[in-house]
Amino acid sequence: MKKSLFYSISFLLFAGCSTAYNTPFNNNQKNETTAKITDDGSTTNYVDETTAAASAVIEEDLYENFEADGIVYVNFDQNIVTAYLEDKAPITITDSETSLGKIADTKVTAVLTSNTLEDTANNIDEASDGIILQYKGTGKIKYILSGTYTGTVFIKNKKTDAAVVLNNANITSSNGAGPVLRFSSELRTFIVVPEGTSNSLTDSRNLNQSATMYDDKKGSVYSKGTLIFTGESTGQTNGELTIINSGYKHAVYSKDYVRIADGINLNINVKGTNGRDCIRALNAVIIDGGNINLTGKGTIEDDESNGIRVDGEDADEDDMTVEYTAGAGFVIINGGNLTINTVAKGITAHWKSTKSVIDDSEYTATANNSLLCSNYLLGTSATKPNPFVEINGGIINITTTGEPYEGRTDDDPSCSPEGIEAKANLTINAGTITLQCTDDALNAGGNITINGGALYAYSSQNDAIDSNGSSGITINGGVIVAIGINTPECAFDCDQNPFTINGGLLVGLGTSNYTVPKSGKQSSGVLASSNYGNANTTMAIVDSNSTPVFVYTLPSATGEVMVLSSPAIKTNTTYTVMKNISVSGGIKFHNLYTTLPEVSGGTSTISSFSTSSSNTVYTDSSVSSGFRDGPDDFNITRR
């Protein structure tokens, strides 16, 4: 967890699960064990059935509610481009602007352009080195793109919603000259992938290439307005879209928000090491469905690839303006199947008040016309972005690979390869989530609340679950396996703030610097490793009839302390802790048994495990007192 800088003159005290990072100033700051999990545990027949209502549902964002006033067909055959409105004859597009006809009394034009530089002196922003499709009306328009093409497709329709249907379209930007798809609309653009089609969009730009880098648009797919990726299927076979970023900024960028709906297989690959994020948006990312695979291999210092990042504001240093939407800056996942492999963070709601220029007198705040303002954020009283993360369903698998590093101040280069991060609050209501990270698996600048779902959170170097909010970590339900076993890290970390367990089934492996659970509505326990056993063995808590109420098979490294809780453990009842037991049957999630097996054998280690209604936490006398009051690490500590 990231805290303030503290300098000690005479000695250093660790404060809880804080970590000194390796930095350019001191390469020997990190104090950690070498224990790492080589086997994250198995899952047998477990299916999480938690459900939660979807959030940020906006009717106008549903493609089935989009009704086009006209359709433009564009067929690519290498360098030959033909286009036409429905019921009209195809026209071969040239470098002379051609009218295709009218939609809602406004003409649609098409032109091929080989511009390689934007004419900023004359305020001309026409460069595309490809095709420009322009419509200045307000009628809703659909474009159907088919075939293979080299060049940017610039769809210029500022005042209206549009749908771009990719019908086996394979497009590559020309000679690194610009994005693949570029949209000027400040409203909605649907990117539609019909059933059974296979489509690819490749951005050939690369950071610091030659002067052909005319266009500073930040994404391979770039939009001033909302981008909505969706399928168009009967539910049989999803269409497929692959977006490849060769190494220039982001694969998908929206100055408003990005939504991903159902019926699409979406593969986004930042394959160049100079590239940055798979999806970046100013206001929000909302995922409702689809099969989504994000890979980010960018390794530029301080700009390593994230999977999904929402900034919350956009500061322009050229004209000293800042654009933001009050209450935005968030990530919501309602469903879908999401796999992320990145160097840096998997998912981050990234806005930080300490880094903001919103209140900087040198900047002028500008109105942001986000569609969120008239829908999901209608009536909000917030005056600044709210970078929260909310998960209401779906299957999420995140792996981060970068080596964490951090400088002495917020302005120094840093890399925090966390799994899911919210700079404000983080809430999990449902979903099956697997996080395997080098930094914190789950991190919040605010509070973390888990109401349901199934969560596996493993960090090889830092905390598994880390909250910096005043209300700490609250667990009301769900199935949770949390592992953070490198000194001085832990499974659940919220400093001296409350760690409250009101429900759910959970186990956490960490070090003696753990955060002590506070009394909640459900019994929990804290055990020393000597009493729960060795690697790859199974421990259990059993009642007086030797019937198990908690069973867990340990992974290949066990840490020093186990925190556990189960609704089957009752207050005012005495249990026995057993290690090295044998099991038969049962269902497990990452080796935590959700349906209890039959148990036999083993060695009794504690025969007096018991909690009361006034103190629902049992603490093994062999463990330390946990998180201690005291100063932070002498070196820069986790944030």
mmCIF file with all atom_site columns, all heavy atoms in Angstrom, residues 409-428:
data_model
loop_
_atom_site.group_PDB
_atom_site.id
_atom_site.type_symbol
_atom_site.label_atom_id
_atom_site.label_alt_id
_atom_site.label_comp_id
_atom_site.label_asym_id
_atom_site.label_entity_id
_atom_site.label_seq_id
_atom_site.pdbx_PDB_ins_code
_atom_site.Cartn_x
_atom_site.Cartn_y
_atom_site.Cartn_z
_atom_site.occupancy
_atom_site.B_iso_or_equiv
_atom_site.pdbx_formal_charge
_atom_site.auth_seq_id
_atom_site.auth_comp_id
_atom_site.auth_asym_id
_atom_site.auth_atom_id
_atom_site.pdbx_PDB_model_num
ATOM 1   N N   . THR A 1 409 ? 9.252   9.539  -4.853  1.00 0.00 ? 409 THR A N   1
ATOM 2   C CA  . THR A 1 409 ? 8.084   10.413 -4.837  1.00 0.00 ? 409 THR A CA  1
ATOM 3   C C   . THR A 1 409 ? 7.090   9.938  -5.889  1.00 0.00 ? 409 THR A C   1
ATOM 4   O O   . THR A 1 409 ? 7.400   9.096  -6.732  1.00 0.00 ? 409 THR A O   1
ATOM 5   C CB  . THR A 1 409 ? 8.458   11.876 -5.128  1.00 0.00 ? 409 THR A CB  1
ATOM 6   O OG1 . THR A 1 409 ? 8.783   12.006 -6.516  1.00 0.00 ? 409 THR A OG1 1
ATOM 7   C CG2 . THR A 1 409 ? 9.654   12.325 -4.282  1.00 0.00 ? 409 THR A CG2 1
ATOM 8   N N   . ASP A 1 410 ? 5.897   10.545 -5.878  1.00 0.00 ? 410 ASP A N   1
ATOM 9   C CA  . ASP A 1 410 ? 4.877   10.207 -6.863  1.00 0.00 ? 410 ASP A CA  1
ATOM 10  C C   . ASP A 1 410 ? 5.295   10.552 -8.284  1.00 0.00 ? 410 ASP A C   1
ATOM 11  O O   . ASP A 1 410 ? 4.740   10.034 -9.246  1.00 0.00 ? 410 ASP A O   1
ATOM 12  C CB  . ASP A 1 410 ? 3.566   10.931 -6.539  1.00 0.00 ? 410 ASP A CB  1
ATOM 13  C CG  . ASP A 1 410 ? 2.736   10.186 -5.514  1.00 0.00 ? 410 ASP A CG  1
ATOM 14  O OD1 . ASP A 1 410 ? 3.037   9.004  -5.281  1.00 0.00 ? 410 ASP A OD1 1
ATOM 15  O OD2 . ASP A 1 410 ? 1.806   10.782 -4.946  1.00 0.00 ? 410 ASP A OD2 1
ATOM 16  N N   . ASP A 1 411 ? 6.241   11.463 -8.421  1.00 0.00 ? 411 ASP A N   1
ATOM 17  C CA  . ASP A 1 411 ? 6.657   11.903 -9.747  1.00 0.00 ? 411 ASP A CA  1
ATOM 18  C C   . ASP A 1 411 ? 7.775   11.046 -10.345 1.00 0.00 ? 411 ASP A C   1
ATOM 19  O O   . ASP A 1 411 ? 8.136   11.231 -11.508 1.00 0.00 ? 411 ASP A O   1
ATOM 20  C CB  . ASP A 1 411 ? 7.111   13.365 -9.698  1.00 0.00 ? 411 ASP A CB  1
ATOM 21  C CG  . ASP A 1 411 ? 5.967   14.311 -9.373  1.00 0.00 ? 411 ASP A CG  1
ATOM 22  O OD1 . ASP A 1 411 ? 4.852   14.032 -9.827  1.00 0.00 ? 411 ASP A OD1 1
ATOM 23  O OD2 . ASP A 1 411 ? 6.194   15.301 -8.653  1.00 0.00 ? 411 ASP A OD2 1
ATOM 24  N N   . ASP A 1 412 ? 8.325   10.139 -9.557  1.00 0.00 ? 412 ASP A N   1
ATOM 25  C CA  . ASP A 1 412 ? 9.376   9.269  -10.065 1.00 0.00 ? 412 ASP A CA  1
ATOM 26  C C   . ASP A 1 412 ? 8.774   8.121  -10.870 1.00 0.00 ? 412 ASP A C   1
ATOM 27  O O   . ASP A 1 412 ? 7.618   7.745  -10.670 1.00 0.00 ? 412 ASP A O   1
ATOM 28  C CB  . ASP A 1 412 ? 10.196  8.697  -8.909  1.00 0.00 ? 412 ASP A CB  1
ATOM 29  C CG  . ASP A 1 412 ? 11.058  9.751  -8.244  1.00 0.00 ? 412 ASP A CG  1
ATOM 30  O OD1 . ASP A 1 412 ? 11.473  10.690 -8.940  1.00 0.00 ? 412 ASP A OD1 1
ATOM 31  O OD2 . ASP A 1 412 ? 11.298  9.640  -7.029  1.00 0.00 ? 412 ASP A OD2 1
ATOM 32  N N   . PRO A 1 413 ? 9.541   7.521  -11.771 1.00 0.00 ? 413 PRO A N   1
ATOM 33  C CA  . PRO A 1 413 ? 9.043   6.354  -12.508 1.00 0.00 ? 413 PRO A CA  1
ATOM 34  C C   . PRO A 1 413 ? 8.628   5.233  -11.559 1.00 0.00 ? 413 PRO A C   1
ATOM 35  O O   . PRO A 1 413 ? 9.242   5.026  -10.511 1.00 0.00 ? 413 PRO A O   1
ATOM 36  C CB  . PRO A 1 413 ? 10.253  5.943  -13.357 1.00 0.00 ? 413 PRO A CB  1
ATOM 37  C CG  . PRO A 1 413 ? 11.068  7.176  -13.499 1.00 0.00 ? 413 PRO A CG  1
ATOM 38  C CD  . PRO A 1 413 ? 10.902  7.913  -12.201 1.00 0.00 ? 413 PRO A CD  1
ATOM 39  N N   . SER A 1 414 ? 7.573   4.520  -11.941 1.00 0.00 ? 414 SER A N   1
ATOM 40  C CA  . SER A 1 414 ? 7.117   3.399  -11.121 1.00 0.00 ? 414 SER A CA  1
ATOM 41  C C   . SER A 1 414 ? 6.396   2.392  -11.995 1.00 0.00 ? 414 SER A C   1
ATOM 42  O O   . SER A 1 414 ? 5.926   2.709  -13.079 1.00 0.00 ? 414 SER A O   1
ATOM 43  C CB  . SER A 1 414 ? 6.182   3.875  -10.000 1.00 0.00 ? 414 SER A CB  1
ATOM 44  O OG  . SER A 1 414 ? 4.995   4.416  -10.544 1.00 0.00 ? 414 SER A OG  1
ATOM 45  N N   . CYS A 1 415 ? 6.337   1.188  -11.502 1.00 0.00 ? 415 CYS A N   1
ATOM 46  C CA  . CYS A 1 415 ? 5.558   0.140  -12.149 1.00 0.00 ? 415 CYS A CA  1
ATOM 47  C C   . CYS A 1 415 ? 4.924   -0.698 -11.052 1.00 0.00 ? 415 CYS A C   1
ATOM 48  O O   . CYS A 1 415 ? 5.631   -1.254 -10.203 1.00 0.00 ? 415 CYS A O   1
ATOM 49  C CB  . CYS A 1 415 ? 6.430   -0.733 -13.052 1.00 0.00 ? 415 CYS A CB  1
ATOM 50  S SG  . CYS A 1 415 ? 5.533   -2.086 -13.866 1.00 0.00 ? 415 CYS A SG  1
ATOM 51  N N   . SER A 1 416 ? 3.610   -0.760 -11.045 1.00 0.00 ? 416 SER A N   1
ATOM 52  C CA  . SER A 1 416 ? 2.872   -1.536 -10.048 1.00 0.00 ? 416 SER A CA  1
ATOM 53  C C   . SER A 1 416 ? 1.991   -2.541 -10.785 1.00 0.00 ? 416 SER A C   1
ATOM 54  O O   . SER A 1 416 ? 0.846   -2.229 -11.119 1.00 0.00 ? 416 SER A O   1
ATOM 55  C CB  . SER A 1 416 ? 2.014   -0.618 -9.175  1.00 0.00 ? 416 SER A CB  1
ATOM 56  O OG  . SER A 1 416 ? 2.804   0.329  -8.496  1.00 0.00 ? 416 SER A OG  1
ATOM 57  N N   . PRO A 1 417 ? 2.502   -3.727 -11.044 1.00 0.00 ? 417 PRO A N   1
ATOM 58  C CA  . PRO A 1 417 ? 1.740   -4.712 -11.824 1.00 0.00 ? 417 PRO A CA  1
ATOM 59  C C   . PRO A 1 417 ? 0.640   -5.387 -11.003 1.00 0.00 ? 417 PRO A C   1
ATOM 60  O O   . PRO A 1 417 ? 0.658   -6.591 -10.751 1.00 0.00 ? 417 PRO A O   1
ATOM 61  C CB  . PRO A 1 417 ? 2.817   -5.713 -12.264 1.00 0.00 ? 417 PRO A CB  1
ATOM 62  C CG  . PRO A 1 417 ? 4.127   -5.047 -11.989 1.00 0.00 ? 417 PRO A CG  1
ATOM 63  C CD  . PRO A 1 417 ? 3.872   -4.180 -10.806 1.00 0.00 ? 417 PRO A CD  1
ATOM 64  N N   . GLU A 1 418 ? -0.319  -4.571 -10.564 1.00 0.00 ? 418 GLU A N   1
ATOM 65  C CA  . GLU A 1 418 ? -1.433  -5.078 -9.776  1.00 0.00 ? 418 GLU A CA  1
ATOM 66  C C   . GLU A 1 418 ? -2.477  -5.714 -10.684 1.00 0.00 ? 418 GLU A C   1
ATOM 67  O O   . GLU A 1 418 ? -2.562  -5.400 -11.871 1.00 0.00 ? 418 GLU A O   1
ATOM 68  C CB  . GLU A 1 418 ? -2.047  -3.936 -8.964  1.00 0.00 ? 418 GLU A CB  1
ATOM 69  C CG  . GLU A 1 418 ? -1.088  -3.400 -7.913  1.00 0.00 ? 418 GLU A CG  1
ATOM 70  C CD  . GLU A 1 418 ? -1.443  -2.018 -7.423  1.00 0.00 ? 418 GLU A CD  1
ATOM 71  O OE1 . GLU A 1 418 ? -2.118  -1.270 -8.153  1.00 0.00 ? 418 GLU A OE1 1
ATOM 72  O OE2 . GLU A 1 418 ? -1.014  -1.673 -6.301  1.00 0.00 ? 418 GLU A OE2 1
ATOM 73  N N   . GLY A 1 419 ? -3.296  -6.580 -10.109 1.00 0.00 ? 419 GLY A N   1
ATOM 74  C CA  . GLY A 1 419 ? -4.325  -7.241 -10.893 1.00 0.00 ? 419 GLY A CA  1
ATOM 75  C C   . GLY A 1 419 ? -5.486  -6.326 -11.183 1.00 0.00 ? 419 GLY A C   1
ATOM 76  O O   . GLY A 1 419 ? -5.751  -5.957 -12.324 1.00 0.00 ? 419 GLY A O   1
ATOM 77  N N   . ILE A 1 420 ? -6.213  -5.939 -10.130 1.00 0.00 ? 420 ILE A N   1
ATOM 78  C CA  . ILE A 1 420 ? -7.328  -5.004 -10.246 1.00 0.00 ? 420 ILE A CA  1
ATOM 79  C C   . ILE A 1 420 ? -7.097  -3.901 -9.234  1.00 0.00 ? 420 ILE A C   1
ATOM 80  O O   . ILE A 1 420 ? -6.937  -4.167 -8.042  1.00 0.00 ? 420 ILE A O   1
ATOM 81  C CB  . ILE A 1 420 ? -8.682  -5.693 -9.986  1.00 0.00 ? 420 ILE A CB  1
ATOM 82  C CG1 . ILE A 1 420 ? -8.893  -6.839 -10.980 1.00 0.00 ? 420 ILE A CG1 1
ATOM 83  C CG2 . ILE A 1 420 ? -9.823  -4.688 -10.092 1.00 0.00 ? 420 ILE A CG2 1
ATOM 84  C CD1 . ILE A 1 420 ? -10.162 -7.648 -10.728 1.00 0.00 ? 420 ILE A CD1 1
ATOM 85  N N   . GLU A 1 421 ? -7.094  -2.655 -9.722  1.00 0.00 ? 421 GLU A N   1
ATOM 86  C CA  . GLU A 1 421 ? -6.829  -1.510 -8.851  1.00 0.00 ? 421 GLU A CA  1
ATOM 87  C C   . GLU A 1 421 ? -7.934  -0.471 -9.002  1.00 0.00 ? 421 GLU A C   1
ATOM 88  O O   . GLU A 1 421 ? -8.351  -0.147 -10.114 1.00 0.00 ? 421 GLU A O   1
ATOM 89  C CB  . GLU A 1 421 ? -5.495  -0.867 -9.200  1.00 0.00 ? 421 GLU A CB  1
ATOM 90  C CG  . GLU A 1 421 ? -5.204  0.392  -8.382  1.00 0.00 ? 421 GLU A CG  1
ATOM 91  C CD  . GLU A 1 421 ? -4.139  1.269  -9.010  1.00 0.00 ? 421 GLU A CD  1
ATOM 92  O OE1 . GLU A 1 421 ? -4.228  1.553  -10.225 1.00 0.00 ? 421 GLU A OE1 1
ATOM 93  O OE2 . GLU A 1 421 ? -3.222  1.679  -8.269  1.00 0.00 ? 421 GLU A OE2 1
ATOM 94  N N   . ALA A 1 422 ? -8.385  0.068  -7.879  1.00 0.00 ? 422 ALA A N   1
ATOM 95  C CA  . ALA A 1 422 ? -9.269  1.233  -7.857  1.00 0.00 ? 422 ALA A CA  1
ATOM 96  C C   . ALA A 1 422 ? -8.615  2.278  -6.979  1.00 0.00 ? 422 ALA A C   1
ATOM 97  O O   . ALA A 1 422 ? -8.240  1.979  -5.842  1.00 0.00 ? 422 ALA A O   1
ATOM 98  C CB  . ALA A 1 422 ? -10.641 0.862  -7.304  1.00 0.00 ? 422 ALA A CB  1
ATOM 99  N N   . LYS A 1 423 ? -8.470  3.495  -7.487  1.00 0.00 ? 423 LYS A N   1
ATOM 100 C CA  . LYS A 1 423 ? -7.939  4.557  -6.639  1.00 0.00 ? 423 LYS A CA  1
ATOM 101 C C   . LYS A 1 423 ? -8.967  4.998  -5.600  1.00 0.00 ? 423 LYS A C   1
ATOM 102 O O   . LYS A 1 423 ? -8.608  5.601  -4.588  1.00 0.00 ? 423 LYS A O   1
ATOM 103 C CB  . LYS A 1 423 ? -7.506  5.747  -7.499  1.00 0.00 ? 423 LYS A CB  1
ATOM 104 C CG  . LYS A 1 423 ? -6.344  5.448  -8.444  1.00 0.00 ? 423 LYS A CG  1
ATOM 105 C CD  . LYS A 1 423 ? -5.080  5.055  -7.687  1.00 0.00 ? 423 LYS A CD  1
ATOM 106 C CE  . LYS A 1 423 ? -3.909  4.892  -8.647  1.00 0.00 ? 423 LYS A CE  1
ATOM 107 N NZ  . LYS A 1 423 ? -2.678  4.431  -7.965  1.00 0.00 ? 423 LYS A NZ  1
ATOM 108 N N   . ALA A 1 424 ? -10.238 4.686  -5.835  1.00 0.00 ? 424 ALA A N   1
ATOM 109 C CA  . ALA A 1 424 ? -11.283 4.898  -4.833  1.00 0.00 ? 424 ALA A CA  1
ATOM 110 C C   . ALA A 1 424 ? -11.697 3.531  -4.292  1.00 0.00 ? 424 ALA A C   1
ATOM 111 O O   . ALA A 1 424 ? -10.846 2.705  -4.006  1.00 0.00 ? 424 ALA A O   1
ATOM 112 C CB  . ALA A 1 424 ? -12.449 5.670  -5.447  1.00 0.00 ? 424 ALA A CB  1
ATOM 113 N N   . ASN A 1 425 ? -12.989 3.260  -4.179  1.00 0.00 ? 425 ASN A N   1
ATOM 114 C CA  . ASN A 1 425 ? -13.467 2.003  -3.598  1.00 0.00 ? 425 ASN A CA  1
ATOM 115 C C   . ASN A 1 425 ? -13.531 0.888  -4.641  1.00 0.00 ? 425 ASN A C   1
ATOM 116 O O   . ASN A 1 425 ? -13.740 1.141  -5.829  1.00 0.00 ? 425 ASN A O   1
ATOM 117 C CB  . ASN A 1 425 ? -14.847 2.192  -2.972  1.00 0.00 ? 425 ASN A CB  1
ATOM 118 C CG  . ASN A 1 425 ? -14.820 3.133  -1.796  1.00 0.00 ? 425 ASN A CG  1
ATOM 119 O OD1 . ASN A 1 425 ? -13.803 3.263  -1.112  1.00 0.00 ? 425 ASN A OD1 1
ATOM 120 N ND2 . ASN A 1 425 ? -15.929 3.813  -1.546  1.00 0.00 ? 425 ASN A ND2 1
ATOM 121 N N   . LEU A 1 426 ? -13.396 -0.344 -4.165  1.00 0.00 ? 426 LEU A N   1
ATOM 122 C CA  . LEU A 1 426 ? -13.472 -1.527 -5.016  1.00 0.00 ? 426 LEU A CA  1
ATOM 123 C C   . LEU A 1 426 ? -14.500 -2.477 -4.419  1.00 0.00 ? 426 LEU A C   1
ATOM 124 O O   . LEU A 1 426 ? -14.408 -2.837 -3.245  1.00 0.00 ? 426 LEU A O   1
ATOM 125 C CB  . LEU A 1 426 ? -12.096 -2.187 -5.112  1.00 0.00 ? 426 LEU A CB  1
ATOM 126 C CG  . LEU A 1 426 ? -11.873 -3.238 -6.205  1.00 0.00 ? 426 LEU A CG  1
ATOM 127 C CD1 . LEU A 1 426 ? -10.377 -3.415 -6.462  1.00 0.00 ? 426 LEU A CD1 1
ATOM 128 C CD2 . LEU A 1 426 ? -12.467 -4.592 -5.844  1.00 0.00 ? 426 LEU A CD2 1
ATOM 129 N N   . THR A 1 427 ? -15.486 -2.866 -5.241  1.00 0.00 ? 427 THR A N   1
ATOM 130 C CA  . THR A 1 427 ? -16.577 -3.728 -4.772  1.00 0.00 ? 427 THR A CA  1
ATOM 131 C C   . THR A 1 427 ? -16.725 -4.931 -5.686  1.00 0.00 ? 427 THR A C   1
ATOM 132 O O   . THR A 1 427 ? -16.781 -4.783 -6.915  1.00 0.00 ? 427 THR A O   1
ATOM 133 C CB  . THR A 1 427 ? -17.912 -2.952 -4.741  1.00 0.00 ? 427 THR A CB  1
ATOM 134 O OG1 . THR A 1 427 ? -17.768 -1.784 -3.928  1.00 0.00 ? 427 THR A OG1 1
ATOM 135 C CG2 . THR A 1 427 ? -19.025 -3.820 -4.189  1.00 0.00 ? 427 THR A CG2 1
ATOM 136 N N   . ILE A 1 428 ? -16.791 -6.115 -5.093  1.00 0.00 ? 428 ILE A N   1
ATOM 137 C CA  . ILE A 1 428 ? -17.054 -7.343 -5.840  1.00 0.00 ? 428 ILE A CA  1
ATOM 138 C C   . ILE A 1 428 ? -18.381 -7.914 -5.343  1.00 0.00 ? 428 ILE A C   1
ATOM 139 O O   . ILE A 1 428 ? -18.516 -8.267 -4.168  1.00 0.00 ? 428 ILE A O   1
ATOM 140 C CB  . ILE A 1 428 ? -15.931 -8.373 -5.658  1.00 0.00 ? 428 ILE A CB  1
ATOM 141 C CG1 . ILE A 1 428 ? -14.612 -7.807 -6.189  1.00 0.00 ? 428 ILE A CG1 1
ATOM 142 C CG2 . ILE A 1 428 ? -16.273 -9.680 -6.379  1.00 0.00 ? 428 ILE A CG2 1
ATOM 143 C CD1 . ILE A 1 428 ? -13.409 -8.699 -5.933  1.00 0.00 ? 428 ILE A CD1 1
#
